[in-house]
Amino acid sequence: MTNRVEYGGTGPDVLLLHGLGGQARDWDRFAAELTRAHRVVAIDLRGHGRSADGPWSWRAVLDDIELLGLDNPAVVGMSLGGMIAAHWAARHPECPGVISFDGHRAAATAPEHYAGLPRERVLADLARLRAAFDAQTATLTRPGADLLAQVADSFRQDDTVAVLAALRCPALLVLAGKALPQAAPFAELTAAHRRGLLRDLDAARAANPLLTVVEVDANHGMVFEQPVELASLAVEFLDTARK
């Protein structure tokens, strides 16, 4: 069963999707702003919060959303939730709009996605990055190790940048302008990742005029840092997208 949080509000439906390791209530401050113009619902993704466990795949989590019975919602996500929002719009071209807050491709991705760094260095740094991630998540009970491994597999199978390039509904990708402090030991890998991301997003925007990319002066946790400002950005985008 998928746990949902009804924030209320009147207007078109908007669904909020949290990031990996998060929960529906991560949106409390942001959602309070959005309810002025929308009916807002958030969920705990499978294996998170109060939702049931289950095998992870893009298809499985999209099926969970289908069962909510929402009326053609706009979908807003942070990090992993932003990736899911893009996949939802790929399944539903009639979606009124999707917003991804720094949900594009994982930090640990294919070597060709890191620009300007020798492949051997990329592979060595990725091994260190995965070891650090494993150490950080080893003590977690939810999401469990099996789900985390399945999410990592889904990242390797599908590049969300390619999904964004093929969308047929309005989409907004909000990029973090600052790196997380935890990324400092991987500064060169992070910089190469960003160069590759910006390169590929330029190509995605050229292929898809419905895709808008903006950058904000915040890090990956932007929804927690600037909930009011980002909610205002979201309302403006969704209002324009529905016209």
Side-chain angles (χ1 to χ4, degrees):
M1 174 179 286
T2 300
N3 181 58
R4 62 195 286 167
V5 175
E6 296 275 357
Y7 285 103
T10 57
D13 286 353
V14 174
L15 175 65
L16 307 180
L17 303 174
H18 62 76
L20 183 63
Q23 59 179 327
R25 286 292 180 183
D26 290 346
W27 294 102
D28 280 1
R29 188 67 188 89
F30 178 95
E33 300 294 321
L34 226 62
T35 54
R36 300 177 186 181
H38 301 273
R39 177 205 173 200
V40 182
V41 177
I43 62 168
D44 291 329
L45 299 173
R46 57 172 50 205
H48 292 72
R50 297 183 178 181
S51 287
D53 291 323
W56 179 274
S57 68
W58 299 122
R59 179 176 180 177
V61 74
L62 294 179
D63 287 346
D64 292 341
I65 295 173
E66 300 279 10
L67 294 174
L68 297 173
L70 299 178
D71 182 17
N72 190 25
V75 184
V76 180
M78 67 172 91
S79 192
L80 173 61
M83 299 180 192
I84 296 168
H87 282 270
W88 172 265
R91 180 187 279 197
H92 293 276
E94 75 284 2
C95 179
V98 296
I99 300 174
S100 173
F101 292 122
D102 219 34
H104 31 74
R105 57 173 54 136
T109 182
E112 60 266 23
H113 291 155
Y114 301 87
L117 201 63
R119 181 181 176 87
E120 295 74 14
R121 176 63 186 276
V122 170
L123 293 175
D125 282 358
L126 282 175
R128 291 196 303 120
L129 180 63
R130 292 189 182 102
F133 179 76
D134 290 344
Q136 289 174 354
T137 59
T139 60
L140 294 178
T141 55
R142 303 203 81 216
D146 287 346
L147 185 142
L148 290 172
Q150 291 165 18
V151 171
D153 283 342
S154 70
F155 290 159
R156 287 189 285 269
Q157 293 166 9
D158 295 282
D159 178 22
T160 306
V161 175
V163 177
L164 289 166
L167 293 184
R168 292 297 174 261
C169 75
L172 173 65
L173 173 60
V174 183
L175 293 179
K178 297 178 179 177
L180 284 166
Q182 302 94 302
F186 305 96
E188 290 188 75
L189 185 70
T190 300
H193 181 282
R194 185 169 184 83
R195 288 192 296 269
L197 176 64
L198 294 176
R199 173 199 66 199
D200 296 342
L201 285 174
D202 281 345
R205 283 186 290 182
N208 184 3
L210 295 175
L211 173 62
T212 301
V213 180
V214 301
E215 184 177 299
V216 295
D217 187 26
N219 66 33
H220 189 63
M222 61 178 72
V223 174
F224 302 103
E225 288 185 68
Q226 300 180 5
V228 175
E229 295 86 348
L230 293 182
S232 177
L233 180 65
V235 169
E236 180 180 358
F237 174 79
L238 293 176
D239 284 350
T240 301
R242 287 183 179 273
K243 291 179 180 177

